[in-house]
Amino acid sequence: MNETSICVVGNVATQPVYRELASGPSARFRLAVTARYLDREKKVWTDGHTNFFTVWANRQLATNASASLVLGDPVIVQGRLKVRTDVREGQNWTSADIDAIAIGHDLSRGTSAFRKLLKGDAVPGETAQPEPQWETPPEDPTGVSDAGDSGGEGGEGGDGDAGEARQRQQVPVAVA
């Protein structure tokens, strides 16, 4: 079977949501991936367009991701790309999901402390969490929105909430 495997580097844009399902643990979060390029005229690196993906993790990866990741963490995600289209309330919607095979902190941007789990170890964060608001609010026809980043290029810097979270993060995150 041909599948599209990808590896993306970005920031955790929503707090991971953990669920215990009949098929086993599941977790999901939004990932913001912002292209950067060198503006040769200004001689500075500039943020480009931001793509948002919904990352899905299952089984032990879901449990570990939920216990290890927080909003704003720089991560590397490897998995299978799934692009879905559907019609909601008469509008066409397209979403890009990643069925994660591996997730890790991006160590080029901070430090992390790995702890191997042994059978029977309790993992913090295994409790169910409230469902976040996943939908992007409809655009205001006037072009003025008070809802923040609508998933496009965002405000200054181009990476919306993930950029703000990255900017706030001043100390390395250690994973217990």
Side-chain angles (χ1 to χ4, degrees):
M1 175 194 248
N2 292 331
E3 294 181 331
T4 305
S5 294
I6 63 170
C7 183
V8 293
V9 178
N11 288 54
V12 176
T14 62
Q15 186 64 32
V17 176
Y18 178 86
R19 296 278 188 263
E20 282 288 342
L21 305 174
S23 59
S26 179
R28 69 179 179 182
F29 62 92
R30 297 281 283 166
L31 179 69
V33 179
T34 302
R36 291 186 50 85
Y37 64 93
L38 180 61
D39 185 338
R40 296 188 191 278
E41 292 176 7
K42 297 177 184 174
K43 296 185 181 186
V44 295
W45 285 94
T46 305
D47 287 342
H49 180 74
T50 301
N51 291 305
F52 287 88
F53 299 91
T54 300
V55 177
W56 294 87
N58 296 301
R59 296 176 289 287
Q60 191 63 46
L61 180 59
T63 304
N64 294 343
S66 177
S68 302
L69 302 178
V70 295
L71 182 69
D73 278 357
V75 293
I76 301 171
V77 177
Q78 179 185 6
R80 292 177 293 276
L81 178 65
K82 311 260 173 142
V83 178
R84 297 180 298 129
T85 59
D86 59 309
V87 177
R88 295 184 209 159
E89 300 176 8
Q91 290 186 332
N92 291 329
W93 288 77
T94 302
S95 63
D97 297 351
I98 299 174
D99 185 12
I101 296 169
I103 302 170
H105 284 109
D106 182 356
L107 297 180
S108 70
R109 295 167 50 200
T111 62
S112 183
F114 181 79
R115 181 175 63 95
K116 185 172 181 168
L117 293 179
L118 303 174
K119 281 198 169 188
D121 280 355
V123 177
E126 283 192 37
T127 58
Q129 299 171 2
E131 188 72 18
Q133 174 61 30
W134 289 90
E135 299 300 323
T136 302
E139 284 196 32
D140 185 6
T142 63
V144 178
S145 174
D146 60 350
D149 186 25
S150 62
E153 292 187 36
E156 293 181 27
D159 58 358
D161 296 336
E164 292 173 16
R166 182 174 63 230
Q167 201 171 24
R168 284 191 305 266
Q169 186 178 8
Q170 297 295 324
V171 295
V173 176
V175 178

